[in-house]
Amino acid sequence: MDSKQFREAAISSIDDIVKYYDNIEDHKVVSSVEPGYLRKLLPDHAPEDGEAWAEIQNDVQSKIVPGLTHWQSPNFLAWFPSSSSYPAMLGEMYSTAFTGAAFNWICSPAVTELETIVLDWLAKAFALPECYLSTGSTHGGGVIHGTASEAIATVMVAARDKYLREATAHLSGEEQEDAIALKRSKLVALGSAATHSATKKAAMITGVRFRAVPVHAKDEYKMTGEGLRTMIEELRAKGLEPFYVTTTLGTTDTCSTDDFDSIAAVLEELAPPGKGEIWVHVDAAYAGVALICLEYQHLAAQFHRFHSFNTNMHKWMLTNFDCSVLFVRQRSWLVEALSVTLAILRNDYTDSGLVTDYRDWQIPFGRRFRSLKVWFVIRSYGIKGLQAHIRKHVGLGETFAELVKSRSDLFEIVSGPRFALTVIKLKTKGAAATLEEQNALTQKMHEAVNAGGKIFLSSTVVGGIFAIRHCPATPFVEEQHVRKHFEVLVEAAEKTTA
Amino acid sequence: MDSKQFREAAISSIDDIVKYYDNIEDHKVVSSVEPGYLRKLLPDHAPEDGEAWAEIQNDVQSKIVPGLTHWQSPNFLAWFPSSSSYPAMLGEMYSTAFTGAAFNWICSPAVTELETIVLDWLAKAFALPECYLSTGSTHGGGVIHGTASEAIATVMVAARDKYLREATAHLSGEEQEDAIALKRSKLVALGSAATHSATKKAAMITGVRFRAVPVHAKDEYKMTGEGLRTMIEELRAKGLEPFYVTTTLGTTDTCSTDDFDSIAAVLEELAPPGKGEIWVHVDAAYAGVALICLEYQHLAAQFHRFHSFNTNMHKWMLTNFDCSVLFVRQRSWLVEALSVTLAILRNDYTDSGLVTDYRDWQIPFGRRFRSLKVWFVIRSYGIKGLQAHIRKHVGLGETFAELVKSRSDLFEIVSGPRFALTVIKLKTKGAAATLEEQNALTQKMHEAVNAGGKIFLSSTVVGGIFAIRHCPATPFVEEQHVRKHFEVLVEAAEKTTA
């Protein structure tokens, strides 16, 4: 394919993409293919000879599109959104064209420098304390990871090594290595029972234990300082050493936010700096971008007492997957845990210490030019446009909750609306039904709705209650859609309870 | 930006990209900006109001392009290539448009299914043993990771947990957890002294020790079975437990390949299955794609005796960054080490066990639709086209080595040509110079060449020798370029030794 052929193919692909977006509602939101559908349609072996672009492009429409679930559909209400925007797509186009492994500054200075700049922009826009700025007094800063799970695994490595380093600082060489290895066997990472599985998985990856701090309906499923205190004291009594905790701003099930004030106070008492300090990470994968709105910025007021924070631009901030921004209060914590140097990587700029080599802030060695799409999104929408985007969805969540309340004969709100998410259950006629029977009915209704193909929602279980999550935060969703979603739910509820 | 505006902006961006590629040689291959250049050009804060696309696009040309190092330039000879192709760019365009987090099958069945199919295509094209096929007898298969470093960290987690599980299989519950934590403190991951730093970093991430098996010039810097035996016996004598080794096909410094036969034999003797088996991973990040050529396929003949294999499509196989393909002999090893389940992720397809949820084969939770670009590349070029691509570069490496030999008054070949890479040093006039003096001269020449801006090469140190690597494996490089590279080197050598 030469550049002329590419130009034609690319324009034709752009036309496909525009058509796809303009008609996104024509697609059944969830793919209805059966497992193994594609193997039946494709050859067993790679072709020996090259094929024409037209054949490949046709196959995208005829074989791939039917196997897609349409995350940009206004009827996609499952999990959290993975939002898309045209400026971000343009960012990806340039980023792909300027491709390189970009593991250090000289690999393409613009890749590193733009990342530092747009992350400082974001830190300011989110009203994070100044310690998270690259120019801040604690030498912190931000980095773009692919996903929140990578960000959490990365800070857990840094937290583990910081803790072990501080605890064995009086030793050196193999003696220190042995002491570290032994102490590592006692380490425990914590998160609330409502935190995302990414924290448990990070503990599995980093080779430490994981314990979940219980949460309760009476606290709106928040982790509290007292809950954390009880867990820390229990573990220490057993000779184990908690070294890290994930707190959450916007949990996966219900979008609740941990009680940062009491958590900070308990940790300052039980684990002060220099005496077994416990690293606190704030996972705000979905809801963190709401900090761009003044009305949410009080949530970041305590973050200077914590160690790191991440939120996903790719969930609710119009930046195509993947793009999770991670901020740390002191960047040397990452570099000390993750830096290795090869002779082949030697260069004057790295040696000078004047530049950032982001490979030491993450698990992968190479990196993509992800800041370009973030830059395009921020500049295209402006802060005001991004605030309007968040507020629109928060408003739609409130509209949905009002609709639910208007049919309190059919539904009950389990939690929310919070950050556009409302969690509901079916109300069973006659209060005599057991929780188990209620759950079975809600599950039956949920399955019927998804099978209907008009809308797609995910379920969860909170406090033993099987519940349905409605999260209208995709780019094209409007009030008319939310009203239709509700009609579909009402119809299914009436059928289920009939 | 509406879809009409996007179409215009996208076509204009495509025009920029075509122009960039058509004129890639006009750019100085390495950016010559100074650290901090971009901060001086951009505002301190994100804009309050949205900006027009034309302003953003202009800034790409005026502020970003000067800060790029041009990895697709035929004068880019550093590290390993990070290659680009038009079909892969089209793949990225569709992948970005169909964006979603794709952490399980129902998130978009096509994402999972196409990945399994193209990885089976590749396993066959690379002549990997059938145990690496998804349909093979050992229930293995392939998965696309971002980078080789992620692939290595992932298999190290699986290897560690497999080893610990087997060693504590007689225990359960907290007793097993305690025994695992204690045993973990004794674990050692191995790699040769010439293996990429990714293995050491993976050991840091997974919380195990790392030891490098020495390599020697007499063995062409290969790890041998005997070298590995010595290391294992030494570690075991100290009470430590080697559980994992990275072997390399195409090392970073010299593209040497470990002695797979003797390594397999020694491990079958010292660490047979069921008795402290040691996981063997083959890191073929750069050179592995050469297995598409029949003349290299003998290198894969022993892989059924190993556990996993990865190669980067984004280095030498025309697939824009990032795309590292990882194959394992038994996929349950990954899933057992990495699977966690949340209530919110429940769905009938996952419950049925008929589908693959690739999130359990990797560190991140969400995933991009990377198989699309691989599919486009394989179909556009065909196996024959990809073979021709590899053979062209291998031939250019040979041409360069012949040129070097023709000026044995100026240069000496330290290693190669292997997989297009030739490693050279300056020959000092008069044999009396010490190694240190020789190294200083080669380094001086290397710095002068890179500062000249005509070509860009990386240096390394092998067996104490400071050397320059020449790796002509970018898509547009031709014989005429290689002859020019050599002229630049001759001129610099003559100046340096004058």
Side-chain angles (χ1 to χ4, degrees), chain A residues 7 15-16 21 36 51 59 67 69 71 94 97 106-108 110 113 149 160 201 204 359 362 365 379, chain B residues 7 15-16 21 36 51 59 67 69 71 94 97 106-108 110 113 149 160 201 204 359 362 365 379:
Chain A
R7 188 175 186 280
D15 286 339
D16 272 359
Y21 275 81
E51 297 175 57
D59 279 356
T69 289
W71 288 65
Y94 279 104
I106 194 61
C107 281
S108 263
E113 299 208 4
S149 34
R160 184 197 65 192
K201 185 163 175 173
M204 290 158 67
R359 72 168 185 279
Q362 63 175 26
F365 181 72
R379 291 185 63 182
Chain B
R7 187 176 187 279
D15 286 339
D16 272 359
Y21 275 82
E51 298 176 57
D59 279 356
T69 289
W71 288 66
Y94 279 103
I106 194 61
C107 281
S108 264
E113 299 209 3
S149 34
R160 185 196 65 193
K201 185 163 175 174
M204 290 158 68
R359 72 168 185 280
Q362 63 176 26
F365 180 73
R379 292 185 64 182

Side-chain angles (χ1 to χ4, degrees), chain A residues 101-109 111-113 115-116 142-145 331-332 334-336 338-342 344-367, chain B residues 35 79 201:
Chain A
F103 45 81
N104 66 18
W105 183 85
I106 194 61
C107 281
S108 263
V111 175
T112 296
E113 299 208 4
E115 187 158 332
T116 307
V143 59
I144 305 179
H145 283 197
R331 52 188 180 252
S332 64
L334 295 178
V335 176
E336 282 167 19
L338 292 162
S339 176
V340 277
T341 308
L342 282 181
I344 189 181
L345 302 179
R346 221 216 112 253
N347 69 86
D348 290 341
Y349 294 101
T350 295
D351 292 351
S352 76
L354 286 175
V355 300
T356 301
D357 287 342
Y358 273 128
R359 72 168 185 279
D360 298 334
W361 298 44
Q362 63 175 26
I363 292 171
F365 181 72
R367 1 190 29 250
Chain B
W79 307 303
K201 185 163 175 174

Side-chain angles (χ1 to χ4, degrees), chain A residues 1 3 6-7 10 13-16 21-22 33 35-39 43-51 53 56-57 59-60 67-69 71-72 79 82 84 86 90 92-94 96-100 103 105-110 113-114 116-117 120-121 124 134 147 149-150 160 177-178 181 184-185 201 204-207 209 211 252 320-322 337-338 340 344 355 359 362-368 376 378-384 459 469, chain B residues 1 3 6-7 10 13-16 21-22 33 35-39 43-51 56-57 59-60 67-69 71-72 79 82 84 86 89-90 92-94 96-100 103 105-110 113-114 116-117 120-121 124 134 147 149-150 160 177-178 181 184-185 201 204-207 209 211 252 320-322 337-338 340 344 355 359 362-368 376 378-384 459 469:
Chain A
M1 188 180 284
S3 57
F6 168 67
R7 188 175 186 280
S13 302
I14 295 292
D15 286 339
D16 272 359
Y21 275 81
D22 281 349
V33 298
Y37 90 99
L38 193 57
R39 197 172 279 272
D44 246 6
H45 283 77
E48 280 296 310
D49 297 295
E51 297 175 57
W53 168 247
I56 299 170
Q57 191 176 18
D59 279 356
V60 173
L68 295 178
T69 289
W71 288 65
Q72 305 317 312
W79 307 302
S82 183
S84 176
Y86 290 134
L90 295 169
E92 284 281 7
M93 278 171 55
Y94 279 104
T96 302
F98 297 152
T99 195
F103 45 81
W105 183 85
I106 194 61
C107 281
S108 263
E113 299 208 4
L114 186 63
T116 307
I117 293 165
D120 280 345
W121 281 11
K124 290 172 190 170
S134 74
T147 59
S149 34
E150 289 166 76
R160 184 197 65 192
E177 198 185 42
D178 287 341
R184 186 181 277 145
S185 69
K201 185 163 175 173
M204 290 158 67
I205 291 162
T206 59
R209 302 169 199 237
R211 291 292 184 278
T252 313
N320 295 48
F321 189 88
D322 50 0
L338 292 162
V340 277
I344 189 181
V355 300
R359 72 168 185 279
Q362 63 175 26
I363 292 171
F365 181 72
R367 1 190 29 250
R368 285 191 298 132
F376 286 10
I378 297 175
R379 291 185 63 182
S380 296
Y381 289 86
I383 299 283
K384 288 180 191 164
S459 66
R469 296 168 71 266
Chain B
M1 188 180 282
S3 57
F6 168 66
R7 187 176 187 279
S13 303
I14 295 292
D15 286 339
D16 272 359
Y21 275 82
D22 281 348
V33 298
Y37 89 100
L38 193 57
R39 197 172 281 271
D44 246 7
H45 284 76
E48 280 296 309
D49 296 296
E51 298 176 57
I56 299 170
Q57 191 175 17
D59 279 356
V60 173
L68 296 178
T69 289
W71 288 66
Q72 306 316 313
W79 307 303
S82 183
S84 175
Y86 290 134
M89 283 195 246
L90 296 168
E92 284 282 6
M93 277 171 54
Y94 279 103
T96 302
F98 297 151
T99 195
F103 45 80
W105 182 86
I106 194 61
C107 281
S108 264
E113 299 209 3
L114 186 63
T116 307
I117 291 166
D120 279 346
W121 282 10
K124 290 174 189 170
S134 75
T147 59
S149 34
E150 288 166 76
R160 185 196 65 193
E177 196 184 41
D178 287 341
R184 186 180 277 144
S185 69
K201 185 163 175 174
M204 290 158 68
I205 291 162
T206 59
R209 299 167 201 239
R211 290 291 183 279
T252 313
N320 295 49
F321 190 88
D322 49 0
L338 292 162
V340 276
I344 190 181
V355 300
R359 72 168 185 280
Q362 63 176 26
I363 292 170
F365 180 73
R367 3 193 25 252
R368 285 192 299 132
F376 286 10
I378 297 176
R379 292 185 64 182
S380 296
Y381 288 85
I383 299 284
K384 287 180 191 165
S459 65
R469 298 167 70 267

Side-chain angles (χ1 to χ4, degrees), chain B residues 271-449:
Chain B
K275 293 189 177 174
E277 185 180 16
I278 294 176
W279 180 301
V280 186
H281 176 69
V282 183
D283 175 24
Y286 166 64
V289 294
L291 293 173
I292 207 160
C293 299
L294 304 181
E295 60 272 31
Y296 290 112
Q297 294 185 347
H298 64 278
L299 291 171
Q302 301 303 322
F303 287 4
H304 61 285
R305 300 162 82 181
F306 300 155
H307 299 75
S308 51
F309 165 84
N310 81 280
T311 186
N312 291 355
M313 297 295 286
H314 65 242
K315 279 195 162 71
W316 196 11
M317 194 132 275
L318 297 162
T319 310
N320 295 49
F321 190 88
D322 49 0
C323 187
S324 182
V325 295
L326 167 67
F327 297 89
V328 289
R329 214 174 71 203
Q330 195 176 310
R331 52 189 180 254
S332 64
W333 293 330
L334 295 178
V335 176
E336 282 168 18
L338 292 162
S339 176
V340 276
T341 308
L342 281 181
I344 190 181
L345 302 177
R346 221 215 112 253
N347 69 86
D348 291 342
Y349 294 100
T350 294
D351 292 351
S352 75
L354 286 175
V355 300
T356 301
D357 287 341
Y358 273 127
R359 72 168 185 280
D360 297 335
W361 299 44
Q362 63 176 26
I363 292 170
F365 180 73
R367 3 193 25 252
R368 285 192 299 132
F369 194 176
R370 292 195 187 96
S371 58
L372 211 49
K373 61 184 171 184
V374 178
W375 193 43
F376 286 10
V377 166
I378 297 176
R379 292 185 64 182
S380 296
Y381 288 85
I383 299 284
K384 287 180 191 165
L386 295 173
Q387 289 170 334
H389 171 78
I390 297 293
R391 286 174 183 146
K392 177 180 102 170
H393 293 129
V394 169
L396 292 179
E398 282 160 10
T399 301
F400 179 77
E402 286 310 313
L403 291 169
V404 171
K405 283 178 199 160
S406 75
R407 289 303 304 268
S408 58
D409 56 321
L410 286 174
F411 303 111
E412 197 178 310
I413 290 183
V414 176
S415 98
R418 280 195 208 105
F419 300 112
L421 173 68
T422 309
V423 185
I424 62 170
K425 57 169 282 197
L426 199 57
K427 191 171 269 181
T428 44
K429 282 176 189 163
T434 64
L435 179 62
E436 211 168 49
E437 286 162 344
Q438 290 175 31
N439 283 350
L441 271 182
T442 306
Q443 183 167 352
K444 190 178 157 196
M445 174 192 145
H446 175 241
E447 284 168 6
V449 168

